[in-house]
Amino acid sequence: MSEGMVTRTYKDRLFVFIFGSRKDWTLSLYNAVNGTEYTDPEAIEYNTLKDVIYMSMKNDVSFLMLGVMNMWEQQSTFNPNLPLRFFIYLARLYEEYITNVYGWESIYRTRLLSLPTPKMVVFYNGEMDQPKERFLRLSDAFSGTIAPDIDISVRMININYDSNREIMKLCKPLSDYSWLVREIRRLVSEGHVLDEAVAAAINDMPEGEIRDFLIANESEVKTMMLTEYDEKAVLDVIGKDKYEDGLEDGQKKQKDEDDADIISSIHGVMNEFHISAERAMDIMRMSEGRKNRYRGKV
């Protein structure tokens, strides 16, 4: 195994691979985002959730640092529902935190529990035009006319290489990552096969630790990029506004219809990519339990 090789299941995004595995790179990005100058990577304690909900409803990077619960997501498609997703992630992270630190029964005691402060950031590198920075709020989704008792504010930062050079100057790992994504995207648009585009882009990267790290893990990087591109195509097959629970036009279907929809989606992915049902369900990021439910039906 090459030096720096990371042993894991490669269903993560490239962003997670870089910023969710090396504390020094995570700290560099944290400082760039927050205008800080912390120097001790060991202050970071990863607590990323794995396989929370179906498909892209999966926590990317989260970590505790100096009393702050940092939650990061990378998105190549703009999604106004991210505050809702962060709300779900936060509840689960707090549940884990309380259980590990205090014991779950502590929530019933009269003493106030001290919790880390949540800070939520989305790193956007999609092709739709977006400002350098904006805020998304959960309250935008509320249909009532009275002021809500709760809200979630998510900071969205545009990390496209040519769109936000200021933050790139503050974090070289981010600059190298953003350059790589832009280059892969350019080569694919010119007709290059994705494998070749990834290899060529890594080879042409600016010299530095990120390039050395990705060269040492090139096969894994290719797998992650294939998964990301497959997932985007899968969303087109399923329908951008249609999810595993069978939600369509705001109406929840009955259980049998849900199963029929999911089976149809699996078949659609199989036909789209000429792959097995197992591979299709893997691309759709179905849990093992969900796979077992549909293995005999596709």
Side-chain angles (χ1 to χ4, degrees), residues 3-28:
E3 182 180 355
M5 185 71 73
V6 177
T7 304
R8 61 196 292 174
T9 300
Y10 290 98
K11 294 183 183 179
D12 280 334
R13 302 176 186 275
L14 181 58
F15 179 91
V16 179
F17 188 58
I18 295 173
F19 295 105
S21 62
R22 281 275 301 262
K23 291 184 177 180
D24 53 340
W25 295 340
T26 306
L27 182 60
S28 176

Side-chain angles (χ1 to χ4, degrees), residues 7 69 114 117 123 158 182:
T7 304
M69 181 86 77
S114 177
T117 302
F123 297 94
N158 190 333
R182 184 191 67 171

Side-chain angles (χ1 to χ4, degrees), residues 49 53 57-62 69-75 79-94 118-123 136 138 152-156:
L49 296 169
I53 303 177
M57 285 289 287
K58 182 185 177 190
N59 183 231
D60 276 351
V61 178
S62 59
M69 181 86 77
N70 297 277
M71 303 168 63
W72 291 353
E73 293 288 310
Q74 175 268 320
Q75 291 286 301
N79 187 338
N81 296 308
L82 278 164
L84 176 58
R85 291 168 56 171
F86 273 108
F87 180 67
I88 295 169
Y89 300 148
L90 181 62
R92 303 223 175 186
L93 286 168
Y94 274 152
K119 296 294 289 184
M120 307 172 186
V121 181
V122 174
F123 297 94
L136 308 175
L138 180 63
I152 295 286
S153 179
V154 177
R155 181 183 178 190
M156 189 175 87

Side-chain angles (χ1 to χ4, degrees), residues 35-57:
T36 53
E37 297 181 354
Y38 293 115
T39 58
D40 182 13
E42 293 309 310
I44 291 172
E45 179 186 345
Y46 293 119
N47 61 350
T48 304
L49 296 169
K50 296 298 182 183
D51 298 321
V52 180
I53 303 177
Y54 168 72
M55 207 170 179
S56 57
M57 285 289 287

Side-chain angles (χ1 to χ4, degrees), residues 275-291:
I275 56 178
S276 67
E278 192 70 22
R279 174 59 178 149
M281 289 189 288
D282 190 47
I283 289 175
M284 294 166 71
R285 296 190 181 181
M286 297 179 72
S287 68
E288 194 61 30
R290 299 291 281 176
K291 287 180 181 179

